[in-house]
Amino acid sequence: MLSPVNSSSGYEPCVKFAPCQLSSSSEGRTKDIGLGSLIESLTARQEFFYGIEISALTANQPTCLDFNEFLPTLPAFVSLVWLGISYWNIPMDENYSLQLAKHMEPHIPVLTHLSAYRMTEERLNEFLAKNFRNVLIVRGDEIHEGQKFTYGREMIEYSRQQRKADNLSIGVPGYPEGYHKNPINDPILNIQYLKEKISAGGEFIITQTCYSSQKIIQFINDCREANVTVPIIIGIMVPDSVRNYHIVKNITGAQLPNEVNDLRVNADDILKFFVDLTVRNIRDIFTANLGIQGIQFFTMNRFRPVQMVLDELRTLKILQ
């Protein structure tokens, strides 16, 4: 059953919900779920969970997402990309990402992204007035000389002040390999900045793309040694081609380990390589017994690689 769409806005979401998401017992409740509390609860119960990150458009058309393709284990949440340079001057009511978020909220917890790029107090107030339950606050890859907020921490502090009485759940990014656009990429300073974002009101961390389980494990240990105790979700990218791998590399700076940096094989072999690498990394992280239970897949709106990884995790009994 296709979900209803909002044809008056010019953007028509292309989402097919699973029957359990449309049931009367679940509809209308998920928008009240704070991801910080949900993630903490699932982590404490040692239950594996995952989320998927998507963007509202694919090739200039609404992204089509069928949750039935993820059964029997649905994502615990959906994360929606905020394109800072594209969205900075678009009215909030016309922002496709926020329209899609409102459309999905009654059926699944949604994590809206928000970038500091050219953000003003007025626009941030407008966003906060939308009463989204969950938000991932990022500085963004680009900085404009006139923008109000230079760091994500400042947006977190401001958001907490403006919505004191609300249960606003805020997530923050973490960088296992450091922030690639920072000219001074000091691991100790990176953890200090992360602590400041947590102290300002961040409730959970989503790590950004990294293909090395060893670096991710080291990052988690560094966080815990620095008394960063909030739940950490591991961000995972499963490229389905060499081209998409390089697109992500150019955006994030994340690259394959040195021993595998020349992929000249057919498309099926490339996909299998990245699926196997992802499964191995997840297994390494879970085997390290660091209290990690959650994965977020950066999908680039390509869902087959994620579903292949989930199938492998079921085979390994990591995902029940």
Side-chain angles (χ1 to χ4, degrees), residues 195-225:
K195 286 187 68 172
E196 291 175 3
K197 289 188 284 188
I198 299 302
S199 296
E203 297 178 21
F204 58 93
I205 297 164
I206 298 180
T207 66
Q208 301 306 286
T209 304
C210 178
Y211 297 104
S212 167
S213 60
Q214 290 78 13
K215 291 180 180 178
I216 295 171
I217 289 169
Q218 184 62 55
F219 172 79
I220 297 167
N221 284 326
D222 289 345
C223 286
R224 299 318 187 206
E225 289 177 8

Side-chain angles (χ1 to χ4, degrees), residues 169-201:
S169 188
I170 298 176
V172 300
Y175 300 93
E177 296 184 287
Y179 186 60
H180 76 289
K181 291 203 172 182
N182 186 346
I184 306 174
N185 201 356
D186 184 329
I188 296 176
L189 278 178
N190 289 337
I191 295 295
Q192 180 58 42
Y193 295 148
L194 183 59
K195 286 187 68 172
E196 291 175 3
K197 289 188 284 188
I198 299 302
S199 296

Side-chain angles (χ1 to χ4, degrees), residues 78-118:
V78 173
S79 183
L80 282 171
V81 172
W82 177 279
L83 304 173
I85 294 178
S86 300
Y87 289 166
W88 72 270
N89 63 345
I90 295 177
M92 291 290 179
D93 288 336
E94 298 177 18
N95 184 305
Y96 292 165
S97 184
L98 300 188
Q99 290 180 45
L100 182 56
K102 285 295 184 185
H103 180 71
M104 290 196 294
E105 262 192 336
H107 309 291
I108 185 170
V110 175
L111 178 64
T112 56
H113 293 200
L114 195 62
S115 167
Y117 179 74
R118 301 189 76 160

Side-chain angles (χ1 to χ4, degrees), residues 20 55 65 121 182 273 282 295:
C20 60
S55 57
L65 172 62
E121 287 187 3
N182 186 346
F273 168 83
I282 292 174
I295 302 294

Side-chain angles (χ1 to χ4, degrees), residues 55-75:
S55 57
L57 296 177
T58 302
N60 251 357
Q61 296 297 317
T63 297
C64 287
L65 172 62
D66 185 350
F67 283 102
N68 294 282
E69 295 177 351
F70 292 89
L71 291 170
T73 309
L74 290 171

Side-chain angles (χ1 to χ4, degrees), residues 119-131:
M119 183 64 65
T120 64
E121 287 187 3
E122 181 181 6
R123 277 182 65 76
L124 183 50
N125 288 338
E126 189 179 352
F127 172 85
L128 293 171
K130 296 283 184 188
N131 291 318

